[in-house]
Amino acid sequence: MRCVVELSEAEELTLQQLSINHRYRDTRTRAAGLLKPGRGIRPQAIAEQFGVSAQSVYNWFHAWRESGICGLMGGHCGGRRPLLSEAQIAVALEIARTEPLTLVRIAQRVEAVLNEPLPCKIETLGEALKRSGFSFKRNRFSLQKSGQFSPKAAHRP
C-alpha cells in the first residue's frame, strides 16, 4: 500500500498549527503524522513513533485524501454514554427540589420511585445534580468543646 501525501504550503502550515494547538490529542497526533511522509519517513516508522498501528497511519492518509482537514478531526462523538438516564436525573431533581435530603436519601428515593437500582455510584448522581445547580455540604461533627472530663486537661500544670 503506497502512502503519498502531497501538501501545499498552506496545507502544511495548517497541519503544523493543528499538530501544536488543537484541543484533542489524537487530532494533534494525526496532523503531526501527516507531516512526516513529506520528510521521507515511512508509515511503519510513523506508527512506531506515535505508538499506533500502521493501519491507523494509513487510515489518516485516506481520511486526508477523502475529506481533507475535516477527515482528521472526526471521531469525537462525546465519549461513552451517560450512566444515568434522563428519567433518573429528572426524578432525582424533582425529589431534591421538594425537600432538603442527603444524597444517600435522594438515591434511595430514586430507586424506590423507579423500582430499579442506580446503575452508578452515588457520587455520579451527585455530579449530575451539581450540573443542574444543586450543591451539597458534607456533614461534620460539632467543633464545640464538650463539658466532659478530659484526661489530658487534668495533667496540665
Side-chain angles (χ1 to χ4, degrees):
M1 194 181 251
R2 185 153 166 80
C3 284
V4 177
V5 178
E6 295 180 16
L7 302 171
S8 68
E9 190 175 323
E11 290 172 335
E12 189 168 338
L13 181 63
T14 302
L15 286 173
Q16 286 174 351
Q17 290 300 314
L18 270 179
S19 69
I20 297 169
N21 297 322
H22 198 270
R23 176 181 180 180
Y24 295 112
R25 182 179 55 88
D26 57 345
T27 302
R28 291 191 305 265
T29 303
R30 292 172 191 160
L34 276 175
L35 289 169
K36 300 287 183 179
R39 298 179 181 136
I41 301 174
R42 298 181 51 84
Q44 288 78 12
I46 296 170
E48 289 173 9
Q49 184 178 4
F50 290 112
V52 296
S53 68
Q55 184 60 50
S56 294
V57 176
Y58 286 110
N59 291 342
W60 300 343
F61 296 143
H62 292 300
W64 175 260
R65 268 193 228 117
E66 291 173 12
S67 305
I69 200 163
C70 294
L72 293 181
M73 294 179 156
H76 299 286
C77 299
R80 72 176 188 184
R81 64 172 185 79
L83 291 175
L84 290 171
S85 68
E86 292 296 323
Q88 291 169 328
I89 294 172
V91 169
L93 287 172
E94 187 62 35
I95 291 170
R97 285 187 187 114
T98 56
E99 60 182 296
L101 296 171
T102 64
L103 191 55
V104 174
R105 293 284 185 180
I106 293 171
Q108 290 171 348
R109 292 212 180 156
V110 168
E111 289 175 346
V113 168
L114 297 175
N115 292 326
E116 60 184 31
L118 286 177
C120 60
K121 295 180 180 179
I122 292 178
E123 290 82 11
T124 306
L125 177 63
E127 290 299 319
L129 292 173
K130 283 180 189 177
R131 282 191 298 271
S132 299
F134 285 90
S135 63
F136 300 94
K137 292 185 179 177
R138 182 175 60 102
N139 292 336
R140 59 170 111 168
F141 297 107
S142 174
L143 297 176
Q144 294 178 332
K145 294 184 178 180
S146 64
Q148 295 178 346
F149 174 76
S150 170
K152 290 185 179 180
H155 295 299
R156 289 187 189 158

